[in-house]
Amino acid sequence: MTSADYTLHGAVAVIRLDNAPVNTLSASVRKGIAEGLERAADTESVSAVVLTGAGSNFCGGADVTEFGTPQMRAAPDLHDLLDLVEGFGKPVIAALNGTALGGGLELAMCCHYRVALSSAPLGLPEVKLGLLPGAGGTQRLPRLAGAERALNMIVSGNPVNARELAQTALLDRVVDADVVAAAVTLAANADGKLPLKKARDISVVLPNAEAFFDFARGAIAPLAKHYPAPAKCIDAVEAAVLKPFEEGMKIEAAAFAELLQGTVSKALRHVFFATRAASKVPDVPSGTATRPIRSVAVIGAGTMGGGIAMNFANAGLRVTVLETAQAALDKGLGVVKKNYESTLKKGRLTPAQFEERLALIGGTLSYDDIADADLVIEAVFEDMGVKKQVFETLDRKAKVGAILASNTSTLDLDQIAAVTQRPQDVVGLHFFSPANVTKLLEIVRGAKTAKDVLATALAVAKQIKKIGVVAGVCDGFIGNRMLNAYFRQMGFLLDAGALPQQIDRALENFGFAMGPFRVADLAGNDIGWAIRKRLYLEHPDKPFSRIPDRICELGRFGQKTGAGWYDYKPGERAAIPSETVTKIVLEESERLGLQRRKVSDEEIVERALYSLINEGARILEEGVASRSSDIDIVYIAGYGFPDFRGGPMFYADTVGLANIVRAMRGFAKGYRPDAWKPAPLLQRLVAENRGFASWGKSS
Ligand SMILES: NC(=O)c1ccc[n+]([C@@H]2O[C@H](COP(=O)([O-])OP(=O)(O)OC[C@H]3O[C@@H](n4cnc5c(N)ncnc54)[C@H](O)[C@@H]3O)[C@@H](O)[C@H]2O)c1
């Protein structure tokens, strides 16, 4: 099967890549292009070839699903195809009718001419997958667009609109419509005399090359500690400037091969696929009909309610926020306005957009005003009584078929659903603070949640630009359940010998955006305290460090009270190690009769990660998450886990589950051994010599 069609426009052959949705260069597309070229070569009356894409994309690049499969090498492979195009005996003109990314742009750069639609985004995003453009992109783009522009595009991975590249040799013509016709005209007007221009023949002129590349290396230095690709991109572009084309191609190929084998690119590619996989729920077919969501209501205008409302206004949907009292409503909507004002001041919203968004958010004290909402999201106090009361009212007032969602972080969704006559319409939509910013949306599936409600929740996540991950009902769902296990371990480490700032530093060096204590100070220590108080009652035998409670007993709730695990200067966010906290930590060790010991950063990382992984294994085994990659996405999108490590479960597979269990058994010989019982699934996978990635596929 081939996926490129061939038509004649007078003496010009048009080959159109056709592989929905973005015309990636799968084996069948490559074959289709090669066959089209062969036909054009064999047809004497054909004077030139135009390459274009079906639909609104030119080509989205290599087909990443073929990575590591025999399809990737199927003839012609990408390199052979590009050689074929560049070395073709008749002029080949790329008609860039839309997005040209990665291998798509590399293909276009092998053509002898390029005509583009002015709005077409052109880019080389490989760096985002921990790679560099490996099919000549690092050598041809500097020759066509200049070293500086090429370096920016390659190191950032961000696309640039064709109109911004109109003055460069990358584009021979930029048009606002009819790009294929413009390409055909370009060929036809030349009357068969278009010279075969090749990017490889151009020399890049860059007077201060040494200083330029020094500067570029300095600029990416902070990133380079964890991400090897940007530095390799710079090396390759430098080669394009300083070395002959063929030598540069070898440097690019060697760097590509090295990055492809490296853990970071593997992790980033895993995250890419995991993000896509998260939107698929095993027993909810992809074609499941969704319910139309045109208007939304949010109950509660507190910290979360306001941010949740903003998401919908940002997506152009009308939102009504309901409160119990006018003062609370005014306060909540006031915060929303302030947030938009600050975005406006930063220039990230136009005045018209600012007005538009504010106009989409209304307030009310009456349920009658939200009776027509298609989706209602409750974000009131974390109290079962209050939530039940809200859902009883919603059951009476909301229209038939409305989706009733709760933003609860810990409460049993099934109990909430049970107070309604329509538990099938109830779902958890767990946003993370700040709700208008954090990418993660945990979608909690109750025992009775209908499949179309779940499918709609996943569609809503996309609509508001969140990454939706489905979780089952349990204490803390996926994210907070793991966080609680991890935070508990960090408490024990304080008892044993570490200090908060050391733990934070070790985990930040590992790659976390913030260590657990800085996070806790940001989120509010009172939240964790309330959860622990409940756990003390529910699990009286389960030990916890007393230190977090003692911090809270002093009212040190974090940044909002000016003190928490750290001290803060008024109005500032810089975390200053606290003598008060150190004193409490030392007192607790003494009270427990523990001789404080030196804890290495390596041990901190192991205990933190292995506690997350062990709880993740339980979550997986219980079916609370349907695949280990969903857990990875929860941690990356919601908890600042480093993407270059691929998420906790992917990381576990890279460390080796047997090594993890061995380390856990070692920890179990020390203080608080109960916390180090390997989850049954972990033990089973070790016995079967498997990793988490295989779980669910053949189990
Ligand atoms: N704060 C967080 O970081 C966070 C993160 C995720 C989820 N959550 C969850 O979101 C929910 C709200 O948390 P929050 O931090 O926004 O709380 P909050 O205290 O800031 O806001 C709650 C708001 O709900 C209003 N309210 C209370 N009862 C109401 C009722 N019967 N009808 C209408 N409004 C009512 C209150 O007036 C208040 O404005 C909780 O379930 C919480 O667990 C919070």
Side-chain angles (χ1 to χ4, degrees):
M1 204 192 84
T2 60
S3 305
D5 55 40
Y6 180 97
T7 49
L8 278 180
H9 294 231
V12 181
V14 176
I15 301 174
R16 201 175 60 134
L17 286 60
D18 190 358
N19 182 19
V22 295
N23 305 326
T24 49
L25 292 163
S26 62
S28 65
V29 171
R30 299 194 304 268
K31 189 157 173 265
I33 298 172
E35 285 175 4
L37 289 173
E38 200 180 329
R39 208 163 143 188
D42 290 347
T43 313
E44 210 172 308
S45 59
V46 167
S47 63
V49 174
V50 167
L51 274 188
T52 192
S56 56
N57 290 282
F58 172 68
C59 172
D63 183 345
V64 280
T65 61
E66 284 185 358
F67 275 19
T69 72
Q71 290 298 88
M72 189 177 171
R73 303 257 160 264
D77 70 14
L78 185 56
H79 289 273
D80 292 342
L81 177 70
L82 299 194
D83 287 347
L84 195 66
V85 170
E86 193 178 47
F88 197 65
K90 299 178 183 182
V92 184
I93 304 158
L96 304 174
N97 56 310
T99 308
L101 293 180
L105 185 58
E106 289 176 306
L107 170 67
M109 289 193 288
C110 286
C111 294
H112 307 115
Y113 296 87
R114 284 155 297 277
V115 177
L117 196 63
S118 57
S119 59
L122 313 179
L124 294 173
E126 288 81 353
V127 74
K128 296 188 178 182
L129 295 181
L131 298 168
L132 51 62
T138 65
Q139 302 307 297
R140 290 191 179 90
L141 191 61
R143 286 175 163 82
L144 291 167
E148 189 172 352
R149 197 184 283 271
L151 191 74
N152 283 342
M153 285 174 70
I154 294 169
V155 170
S156 73
N158 294 331
V160 172
N161 277 348
R163 79 171 63 83
E164 290 175 43
L165 295 159
Q167 303 309 319
T168 70
L170 180 65
L171 301 176
D172 297 280
R173 217 156 279 177
V174 174
V175 294
D176 290 324
D178 299 333
V179 68
V180 173
V184 170
T185 308
L186 176 75
N189 285 352
D191 206 14
K193 295 194 190 67
L194 270 182
L196 302 178
K197 287 197 299 175
K198 291 180 188 167
R200 64 165 67 217
D201 297 335
I202 301 172
S203 304
V204 194
V205 181
L206 186 66
N208 292 317
E210 197 179 330
F212 172 75
F213 288 108
D214 278 353
F215 178 79
R217 290 194 171 94
I220 58 122
L223 266 183
K225 180 175 164 204
H226 294 305
Y227 297 90
K232 296 276 184 205
C233 291
I234 297 176
D235 293 349
V237 172
E238 187 178 45
V241 174
L242 302 178
K243 297 187 191 296
F245 181 79
E246 289 302 341
E247 227 176 291
M249 287 296 280
K250 282 189 192 140
I251 289 171
E252 178 191 276
F256 183 83
E258 191 183 324
L259 292 170
L260 189 68
Q261 290 310 317
T263 318
V264 171
S265 175
K266 283 184 184 154
L268 293 174
R269 279 179 281 144
H270 165 74
V271 174
F272 176 82
F273 289 117
T275 307
R276 288 174 161 200
S279 63
K280 298 182 183 83
V281 184
D283 64 336
V284 180
S286 58
T288 304
T290 54
R291 300 187 189 181
I293 303 294
R294 296 189 195 91
S295 65
V296 179
V298 177
I299 315 285
T303 312
M304 296 304 288
I308 293 171
M310 287 174 75
N311 285 304
F312 291 95
N314 295 347
L317 284 168
R318 183 161 296 287
V319 202
T320 307
V321 182
L322 182 144
E323 261 290 349
T324 45
Q326 192 62 42
L329 185 59
D330 291 346
K331 188 172 162 215
L333 295 182
V335 173
V336 168
K337 189 166 178 212
K338 252 198 201 143
N339 280 337
Y340 278 131
E341 274 166 358
S342 122
T343 319
L344 176 71
K345 267 190 209 137
K346 287 180 196 147
R348 289 198 267 117
L349 269 189
T350 64
Q353 284 171 323
F354 170 78
E355 294 299 338
E356 216 173 274
R357 300 213 179 159
L358 278 185
L360 283 170
I361 304 180
T364 184
L365 302 179
S366 163
Y367 277 83
D368 292 336
D369 291 336
I370 63 164
D372 277 341
D374 300 307
L375 167 67
V376 185
I377 304 172
E378 164 278 309
V380 304
F381 301 134
E382 187 74 343
D383 177 298
M384 186 55 97
V386 182
K387 303 248 188 220
K388 281 186 171 170
Q389 199 188 2
V390 168
F391 274 79
E392 273 162 10
T393 315
L394 284 175
D395 196 28
R396 275 186 279 113
K397 299 281 190 175
K399 73 174 185 189
V400 174
I403 294 180
L404 309 180
S406 172
N407 183 47
T408 180
S409 341
T410 51
L411 301 175
D412 182 343
L413 185 78
D414 291 330
Q415 275 193 45
I416 296 174
V419 302
T420 72
Q421 303 300 311
R422 37 173 136 173
Q424 73 282 1
D425 295 341
V426 177
V427 68
L429 287 182
H430 185 204
F431 290 80
F432 290 75
S433 179
N436 54 322
V437 176
T438 310
K439 280 273 164 219
L440 178 65
L441 179 63
E442 252 184 342
I443 298 172
V444 184
R445 180 180 195 167
K448 297 196 174 152
T449 306
K451 289 185 183 179
D452 67 333
V453 168
L454 218 48
T456 309
L458 283 158
V460 163
K462 262 200 193 122
Q463 197 180 359
I464 60 173
K465 299 198 170 71
K466 302 274 182 206
I467 303 176
V469 178
V470 175
V473 174
C474 70
D475 194 344
F477 314 123
I478 298 175
N480 283 343
R481 174 166 161 183
M482 286 167 69
L483 179 75
N484 293 341
Y486 151 64
F487 201 75
R488 182 165 163 258
Q489 272 309 323
M490 296 302 96
F492 294 150
L493 265 182
L494 295 179
D495 290 347
L499 288 173
Q501 51 271 31
Q502 187 202 354
I503 292 177
D504 280 351
R505 197 187 52 230
L507 289 163
E508 284 159 18
N509 282 337
F510 173 81
F512 271 97
M514 271 195 255
F517 299 105
R518 288 217 292 142
V519 171
D521 271 1
L522 192 65
N525 294 314
D526 47 330
I527 295 180
W529 195 21
I531 293 171
R532 284 193 303 279
K533 282 180 185 163
R534 176 171 58 77
L535 291 177
Y536 297 155
L537 298 175
E538 289 173 10
H539 306 281
D541 299 336
K542 191 170 179 173
F544 283 84
S545 167
R546 276 266 303 133
I547 296 169
D549 295 355
R550 288 198 53 192
I551 303 289
C552 288
E553 282 157 13
L554 294 179
R556 298 181 67 106
F557 291 164
Q559 287 190 16
K560 62 184 171 189
T561 55
W565 290 99
Y566 294 92
D567 293 335
Y568 297 89
K569 288 194 180 140
E572 290 183 21
R573 284 165 178 263
I576 305 162
S578 162
E579 281 179 22
T580 313
V581 172
T582 302
K583 190 165 163 277
I584 292 174
V585 170
L586 300 183
E587 279 171 13
E588 274 304 305
S589 304
E590 198 179 332
R591 186 183 69 80
L592 291 161
L594 291 172
Q595 177 72 37
R596 285 180 70 76
R597 65 180 177 87
K598 192 171 169 357
V599 182
S600 72
D601 286 3
E602 192 189 355
E603 182 183 342
I604 291 171
V605 169
E606 286 187 356
R607 285 182 184 260
L609 269 292
Y610 299 172
S611 58
L612 280 174
I613 291 161
N614 204 30
E615 199 61 37
R618 293 200 172 94
I619 283 172
L620 205 52
E621 190 165 28
E622 290 169 22
V624 168
S626 36
R627 47 179 93 77
S628 66
S629 65
D630 282 0
I631 298 177
D632 289 332
I633 293 303
V634 165
Y635 259 75
I636 290 171
Y639 293 81
F641 193 95
D643 59 354
F644 60 84
R645 307 259 187 208
M649 311 312 271
F650 179 88
Y651 177 75
D653 283 351
T654 64
V655 172
L657 302 191
N659 294 329
I660 293 174
V661 169
R662 196 172 309 122
M664 288 171 68
R665 297 225 153 96
F667 297 151
K669 292 189 183 122
Y671 171 60
R672 298 294 186 206
D674 77 294
W676 290 111
K677 207 166 167 337
L681 175 62
L682 197 48
Q683 299 186 53
R684 176 175 157 190
L685 292 175
V686 169
E688 294 173 5
N689 199 15
R690 291 166 59 188
F692 285 121
S694 72
W695 175 252
K697 289 188 182 140
S698 57
S699 46

